[in-house]
Amino acid sequence: MSIRLKLFLFFALTGIVPLLVLGFYSYISTKKNIQIKTFDEMASINSLSNSILDEWATGSLNLLESLAQRPLLRKVVAELTEADGINSAAARRQELINNHFSPTLAIQNNLDVLSIIDLSGKVVVSTDALFVGQFHNRDLYFTEGQEHSFIGNVMYSVSQNEAVMHVSTPIRNSEGVTIAVLSGLLDWNRASTLLSYVTLTRPRFESYLVNRHHFMLTESKFIEDAPLKVTVTSAGLQACLETGSGQSLYKNYLGNEVLGVYKWLPDHGLCLLTESDLSEQDEALDKLKAQLYCVFLLLAGLSILFALFISSTISRPIRALVAGAAELGRGNLRYQFTETAGELGTIPKALNEMAASLTIVLASRDELNNEVEQRKQVELNLNRAMSDLKKSNQDLEQFAYVASHDLQEPLRTITSYLQLLERRYREHLDSDALEFIDYIVEAASRMKSQINDLLDYSRVGRNDVSFVDVDLNQIVHKVIRQNHIYIQENGATLQVGTLPTVQGIPAQLTQLFQNLINNAIKFHRKGTPPLIRINAERTEDHWNITVADNGIGIEPEYLEKIFIIFQRLHSMVDYPGTGIGLALCKRIVENHDGSIGVTSTPGAGSIFNIKLNAEKI
């Protein structure tokens, strides 16, 4: 694939992919906005329908209440309820109908029938003669109407052969005692007609009422003669009956996908639903798709033309650069790139400078190779010197071992003959001679100790012993057992924490803690019992082991010198020893790939810090 094609594809995709993303986002956003707008419009339809229904019912009830409060009507009703028989007060009944009920029905087209029910539940006066004499003592509009004004639920009337609604209000005498109930029969068809006007100018919406028994109470756009004759069910209706109000996408009573808003009307015990078929939403979305498709084709075409122009502009100088780079690759450092204006023109200039630099570099290549050869020779000589030094150190260690071992025999001979001389000729020697003999024996003993320590020191560096797992707890307790008499004589106290298991040589680690504990006891302050604390702490891949005492301490200038062989800070009289102990400790720790150091406060004590590998020494 050529670079021109690659550039074309890159710039074309750079322009087209954002257009696709933007178009998809616009489509989704518009779809969501249409649904939100539809939900809001249906919610306003529900609110308006609810208001119309409330005004229709409460308007009729208010008319009944004002009628029931007329003094003349209350007087006539009191006489009727006290009369015996229906026919004995026929004139008074007709008076009520003519003077009160008929004029009211003439101005209020919502009321179909007005009736007066006595306290026994019998209809004593009605504008519909069929109701007179009927008993309604079990109907809610009668039982509730004795106490307060009441609006009943929509029900099917057999006598009227249609859906009706009852409203009622008590008729009270001058003392405020209920003497009868004034009942009004509302024509529900009028309410249904009023509610249909709400969606008359909105044909894509259907709004209808359903009671809790799933009976449709208003006319349906799709089913004829539906009120109180057709039962419907849907997820929206079920949600309305269970949760009250809300909105969602669901299938309506015909099984079609709809956007629906539902609202429970607690005053009437009805569910008001307004729905819009999704197919109508799809029509608007199809128009949007077509518009977006046209815009996309236009912008995509412009992106392709722009990509062709940019790819041609960029690829031409790049192809020239590729050809020149091939010349450089063949070793033609005299090749000169054609320098042009613009940002791409800086590349040929840089390549020309690079070729000039390469010419200089290649000219000095031989000199660089000579320098590398010289450094290799120096490194070889250094490795030989290191090997010779290592062999020399091994020879010195072997010499120290042999020398110290061979000096043991003549030293034992000198000591033995001096002690024999003292025993045999003690009576013939004066006190000065005996004192001189003691000095010689003591010096020989010190020399023997130094030779033994030197022998131990030379043995540490020998690699004829393998490392094993060593439990430092056992090592320290072994040293304490071996020196318990020395510890008791000096009143020393040892506090040993939990110590780790490391890899090492048991004999050397025993010697290490032997020297450190003995030094801590030896260099204690007069009048203060020695206190020695041994602890360990893990730090990353090392163990930090501390041996702390409360002794005389060490001056700062001697903190490094004490680890030098035969280095002594005190006289033999005050603190006897060979001066090899701490040097031996350092050699043992270094032989275990560790380090040792000390911090001290003169007059307060010292802390020896030992660092050993926690994984493998």
Side-chain angles (χ1 to χ4, degrees):
M1 185 181 295
S2 65
I3 189 169
R4 182 179 181 181
L5 180 57
K6 291 180 180 178
L7 289 172
F8 168 74
L9 291 176
F10 171 77
F11 287 110
L13 292 176
T14 302
I16 292 174
V17 170
L19 289 177
L20 288 173
V21 175
L22 181 60
F24 178 75
Y25 174 77
S26 299
Y27 175 77
I28 296 299
S29 177
T30 303
K31 181 179 179 181
K32 184 177 180 181
N33 290 335
I34 290 175
Q35 290 185 354
I36 292 174
K37 184 178 179 181
T38 302
F39 278 130
D40 292 342
E41 192 171 358
M42 289 191 292
S44 66
I45 291 174
N46 275 3
S47 297
L48 181 58
S49 298
N50 186 23
S51 300
I52 291 174
L53 182 61
D54 287 342
E55 290 178 4
W56 177 77
T58 56
S60 300
L61 182 61
N62 292 336
L63 185 61
L64 246 65
E65 290 175 343
S66 65
L67 192 63
Q69 293 174 3
R70 294 179 181 179
L72 184 57
L73 183 142
R74 291 192 292 182
K75 181 180 178 181
V76 175
V77 171
E79 294 174 359
L80 287 173
T81 55
E82 294 174 359
D84 295 330
I86 297 177
N87 297 321
S88 62
R92 303 296 284 172
R93 292 198 304 273
Q94 192 61 40
E95 179 184 350
L96 282 173
I97 294 172
N98 294 336
N99 296 337
H100 299 282
F101 290 174
S102 293
T104 300
L105 293 178
I107 63 173
Q108 172 58 271
N109 60 2
N110 293 332
L111 289 167
D112 274 358
V113 179
L114 287 174
S115 302
I116 294 177
I117 308 172
D118 65 13
L119 296 182
S120 66
K122 183 174 69 173
V123 178
V124 295
V125 178
S126 177
T127 58
D128 188 337
L130 295 176
F131 287 6
V132 177
Q134 294 181 3
F135 280 89
H136 298 277
N137 54 332
R138 294 184 178 181
D139 293 331
L140 278 177
Y141 64 87
F142 168 70
T143 57
E144 295 291 334
Q146 297 181 60
E147 303 295 334
H148 53 80
S149 297
F150 174 75
I151 299 176
N153 291 333
V154 182
M155 62 181 63
Y156 182 77
S157 173
V158 178
S159 61
Q160 301 291 322
N161 192 28
E162 62 183 3
V164 296
M165 177 187 285
H166 288 89
V167 292
S168 60
T169 188
I171 301 175
R172 295 185 173 92
N173 59 18
S174 58
E175 287 80 17
V177 179
T178 301
I179 57 176
V181 174
L182 178 58
S183 169
L185 184 66
L186 299 177
D187 184 0
W188 179 251
N189 289 331
R190 295 193 183 103
S192 179
T193 301
L194 289 174
L195 292 176
S196 66
Y197 290 157
V198 178
T199 57
L200 188 61
T201 59
R202 302 178 177 94
R204 62 193 184 96
F205 297 110
E206 181 185 19
S207 184
Y208 57 93
L209 286 166
V210 181
N211 64 14
R212 57 170 50 92
H213 301 295
H214 291 222
F215 278 97
M216 185 177 283
L217 302 180
T218 54
E219 293 295 339
S220 169
K221 290 175 62 175
F222 309 103
I223 303 175
E224 294 183 359
D225 198 19
L228 283 176
K229 294 181 181 179
V230 175
T231 58
V232 295
T233 184
S234 67
L237 175 59
Q238 195 64 32
C240 181
L241 295 174
E242 293 177 356
T243 62
S245 300
Q247 61 185 35
S248 64
L249 173 67
Y250 56 87
K251 290 185 177 181
N252 65 0
Y253 58 88
L254 297 176
N256 298 328
E257 291 283 346
V258 295
L259 296 174
V261 176
Y262 46 86
K263 183 177 183 179
W264 177 250
L265 308 179
D267 294 337
H268 307 290
L270 302 176
C271 184
L272 175 61
L273 298 98
T274 301
E275 298 169 344
S276 176
D277 200 307
L278 271 184
S279 60
E280 298 184 4
Q281 307 290 326
D282 293 339
E283 292 179 3
L285 291 175
D286 289 340
K287 293 181 181 178
L288 176 63
K289 286 180 183 177
Q291 295 172 355
L292 290 175
Y293 183 70
C294 293
V295 173
F296 171 76
L297 289 179
L298 176 61
L299 295 178
L302 293 176
S303 297
I304 291 173
L305 293 176
F306 178 76
L308 285 172
F309 172 74
I310 293 297
S311 61
S312 299
T313 304
I314 296 177
S315 62
R316 190 179 302 110
I318 291 179
R319 287 197 298 270
L321 291 175
V322 171
E327 287 294 324
L328 290 180
R330 287 191 288 268
N332 184 10
L333 298 180
R334 295 182 179 181
Y335 180 85
Q336 290 295 306
F337 292 87
T338 303
E339 299 181 8
T340 59
E343 294 181 355
L344 287 176
T346 59
I347 298 178
K349 181 179 179 181
L351 289 174
N352 288 333
E353 294 175 353
M354 182 188 71
S357 299
L358 283 174
T359 302
I360 297 173
V361 169
L362 291 176
S364 60
R365 180 175 57 184
D366 294 339
E367 182 180 351
L368 180 61
N369 290 336
N370 292 334
E371 184 178 351
V372 170
E373 290 297 329
Q374 292 176 1
R375 291 189 177 184
K376 288 182 178 180
Q377 187 62 39
V378 170
E379 183 178 357
L380 180 61
N381 295 336
L382 180 60
N383 290 335
R384 290 175 180 174
M386 291 292 294
S387 177
D388 293 341
L389 180 60
K390 182 177 180 181
K391 186 175 182 305
S392 177
N393 287 336
Q394 291 175 348
D395 292 341
L396 287 174
E397 290 177 0
Q398 183 66 24
F399 172 76
Y401 175 78
V402 173
S404 57
H405 183 272
D406 292 345
L407 287 174
Q408 295 279 1
E409 182 58 30
L411 192 61
R412 281 196 296 270
T413 302
I414 293 172
T415 303
S416 299
Y417 276 101
L418 283 172
Q419 290 173 346
L420 179 62
L421 180 64
E422 180 184 10
R423 286 196 302 271
R424 288 187 178 182
Y425 300 101
R426 173 175 292 275
E427 296 179 357
H428 303 285
L429 298 174
D430 58 13
S431 58
D432 290 338
L434 293 175
E435 184 177 359
F436 295 156
I437 292 174
D438 290 337
Y439 286 155
I440 296 173
V441 172
E442 182 181 353
S445 298
R446 286 201 307 272
M447 186 174 180
K448 180 180 180 181
S449 298
Q450 289 179 339
I451 291 173
N452 288 332
D453 289 345
L454 184 60
L455 186 59
D456 292 337
Y457 186 83
S458 64
R459 287 172 178 168
V460 169
R462 303 181 68 178
N463 298 323
D464 53 353
V465 180
S466 300
F467 282 15
V468 296
D469 289 338
V470 181
D471 186 351
L472 296 184
N473 294 288
Q474 296 180 2
I475 293 295
V476 171
H477 288 298
K478 176 182 178 182
V479 171
I480 294 174
R481 288 194 305 272
Q482 292 175 349
N483 296 271
H484 71 279
I485 296 177
Y486 183 56
I487 293 171
Q488 290 177 358
E489 288 177 350
N490 289 274
T493 300
L494 278 85
Q495 298 176 355
V496 183
T498 301
L499 302 179
T501 296
V502 298
Q503 284 196 334
I505 301 173
Q508 292 184 8
L509 293 176
T510 301
Q511 185 69 53
L512 171 66
F513 285 99
Q514 169 84 26
N515 292 355
L516 292 176
I517 292 173
N518 284 348
N519 277 4
I521 297 174
K522 181 195 302 182
F523 295 101
H524 72 274
R525 286 177 287 162
K526 294 182 179 181
T528 301
L531 174 61
I532 305 168
R533 295 183 297 274
I534 303 175
N535 294 289
E537 180 181 2
R538 177 93 180 241
T539 303
E540 295 181 356
D541 57 348
H542 288 83
W543 284 106
N544 291 327
I545 303 167
T546 58
V547 180
D549 62 57
N550 62 342
I552 61 175
I554 306 169
E555 295 294 337
E557 60 268 26
Y558 298 115
L559 293 179
E560 296 293 335
K561 294 182 179 180
I562 60 173
F563 294 105
I564 300 174
I565 191 169
F566 298 127
Q567 181 68 44
R568 296 183 53 84
L569 305 183
H570 306 280
S571 66
M572 288 291 297
V573 177
D574 295 332
Y575 299 100
T578 62
I580 299 179
L582 290 178
L584 182 59
C585 290
K586 181 178 181 181
R587 189 172 177 84
I588 290 173
V589 172
E590 290 176 349
N591 191 49
H592 287 73
D593 273 349
S595 61
I596 185 172
V598 64
T599 58
S600 181
T601 302
S606 303
I607 301 176
F608 285 86
N609 300 286
I610 304 166
K611 187 175 182 181
L612 294 177
N613 197 317
E615 300 299 331
K616 183 177 180 180
I617 299 177

